[in-house]
Amino acid sequence: MVVSLSRRGNVEPFHAMDILAEANRLKAQGVPVVSMAVGQPSDPAPARVRAAAGKALQDGRIGYTDTLGLAALRKAIAEHYADHYGLDVPPSRIAVTTGSSAAFNLAFLAMFDPGDRVAIAAPGYPAYRNIMAALGIEVVEIELGEEAYLHAGHLETAHREKPLKGVLFASPANPTGAVIPAAELSALVKTAQDLGIAVISDEIYHRLAYAAPDTTTLAYGSSVTVINSFSKYYCMTGWRIGWMVLPEELVRPVERIAQSLYISPPELSQIAAIEAFAATEELEAVKGRYAWNRELLMKRLPELGFSLAAPMDGAFYAFCDVTRHTNDSMAFARRMLAEAHVAATPGRDFDTQAGHRTMRFSYAGSHDDMVEAMARIERWLR
Ligand SMILES: Cc1ncc(COP(=O)(O)O)c(C=O)c1O
């Protein structure tokens, strides 16, 4: 038997998922693990979303849909841009996707060829780097160092060294929670446009900012590709449903590639997601709890010697410098899970250079869990 293994398959593991698997193994043995490892809301999808899915299941037939998604969902997403941002976005520029993860595949495949150079920030969400590497795109990681977010100056410097074809950033960001202020975002997009660099903006943590209102990159031009998802604010991770807002020229290429890669996003999740925009009251209550958790961690983590390496402006992450305790955050995270039964993510996922110095704590869980996790870590460190 011959087994063929491509070089592309040799991407970094997503360590947060490995830690989650280990936490799940311990839980199955009856160990009461508190998980702060994965960026996943602990609440279910809003009641009206689940009711719509229940009704669709009763009605019976769940099938393929148009590749770019159900017309009613594309319309609901377009209306969300009018309601939330005051922007007029036609439903024809919206593509519904199987989570934002599928949207990355589609954007990278439709926008870049093997060998193209695309910039991302480090630390950053690991799937950007891993998917692009698997597709043969050259990933240019811009180390943020002491700075909270990517800005126009970073882009100019990287482009001067060797021209870039694209840039991808998230605001609020994972793992830092940092938000790019509106004026800086505007300058970043303008610089990219002046230099001929295509922009992809990951807006999956929109509606989860604590200090400033959301600004969509779409406000600065219709040539940017925006990626978003129902996973985070809308508490729908397992429903695997997201969307893209595309420049006109990219709609048909994305549709052609999606036809073959996915046929369509899941119909059940699409029917349910239409209801998500009407669940604001329920979802704002969930966000209120994140804000409460955030207050707690902003105080407790530094007290425990985990200094905050970013401002916690948005998302549901505290990104910490752990060098007071260790110079190997991967081993430290494994020991903390095994001995204190608290799971958190080592920085290596987000930054291959400096990640041994950092860890990310997700505060998307219950408040009681956060209190318990801090108490356990305190006892363990003593
Ligand atoms: C910045 C960012 N983008 C995208 C995703 C993927 O989300 P999904 O595929 O569930 O939409 C995540 C998940 O953690 C994320 O943190």
Side-chain angles (χ1 to χ4, degrees), residues 32 44-45 82 95 145 200 211 221 228 244 262 278 307 312 318 327 329 334 339 356:
I200 302 176
N228 206 325
M244 325 168 77
Y262 305 107
S307 59
M312 288 177 81
N327 210 16
S329 60
R334 289 197 186 284
E339 296 166 13
H356 58 282

Side-chain angles (χ1 to χ4, degrees), residues 22-70:
E22 177 62 12
N24 285 340
R25 201 183 58 74
L26 287 171
K27 275 188 197 161
Q29 290 171 2
V31 178
V33 171
V34 176
S35 183
M36 299 178 75
V38 175
Q40 160 147 276
S42 55
D43 284 76
R48 59 190 305 145
V49 167
R50 285 177 283 138
K55 180 171 180 308
L57 275 181
Q58 286 301 319
D59 292 348
R61 188 178 168 280
I62 305 294
Y64 296 136
T65 67
D66 288 353
T67 295
L68 293 180
L70 288 174

Side-chain angles (χ1 to χ4, degrees), residues 14 38-40 97-104 124-128 169-175 202-205 227-232 236-243 315-317 350 360:
F14 192 167
V38 175
Q40 160 147 276
T97 56
T98 307
S100 69
S101 300
F104 294 127
Y125 180 56
Y128 306 148
F169 52 80
S171 170
N174 178 5
D202 180 354
E203 303 189 350
I204 189 169
Y205 292 106
I227 293 179
N228 206 325
S229 172
F230 290 96
S231 287
K232 307 293 174 166
M236 293 178 68
T237 45
W239 300 69
R240 309 308 305 128
I241 192 85
W243 75 87
F316 32 55
Y317 303 116
F350 313 105
R360 186 197 74 177

Side-chain angles (χ1 to χ4, degrees), residues 234-317:
Y234 304 93
C235 299
M236 293 178 68
T237 45
W239 300 69
R240 309 308 305 128
I241 192 85
W243 75 87
M244 325 168 77
V245 183
L246 294 162
E248 293 288 355
E249 303 85 329
L250 273 174
V251 174
R252 185 62 183 150
V254 162
E255 184 176 29
R256 283 195 301 259
I257 297 169
Q259 285 168 343
S260 293
L261 276 189
Y262 305 107
I263 302 189
S264 78
E267 184 173 26
L268 184 63
S269 302
Q270 293 189 65
I271 293 169
I274 294 168
E275 294 300 317
F277 297 115
T280 301
E281 201 180 316
E282 202 178 329
L283 293 169
E284 284 299 304
V286 174
K287 183 182 171 188
R289 198 193 64 235
Y290 300 152
W292 189 25
N293 292 348
R294 172 177 175 265
E295 291 294 320
L296 174 80
L297 295 197
M298 274 170 114
K299 178 171 172 294
R300 293 290 278 138
L301 285 168
E303 279 173 7
L304 297 175
F306 298 92
S307 59
L308 298 175
M312 288 177 81
D313 290 335
F316 32 55
Y317 303 116

Side-chain angles (χ1 to χ4, degrees), residues 309 319-322 329 345-348 351 354-360:
F319 190 58
C320 296
D321 182 320
V322 294
S329 60
T345 308
R348 169 71 198 236
D351 190 344
H356 58 282
R357 305 166 57 89
T358 55
M359 258 166 82
R360 186 197 74 177

Side-chain angles (χ1 to χ4, degrees), residues 86-105:
L87 277 183
D88 186 17
V89 176
S92 59
R93 283 180 49 208
I94 290 165
V96 180
T97 56
T98 307
S100 69
S101 300
F104 294 127
N105 289 338

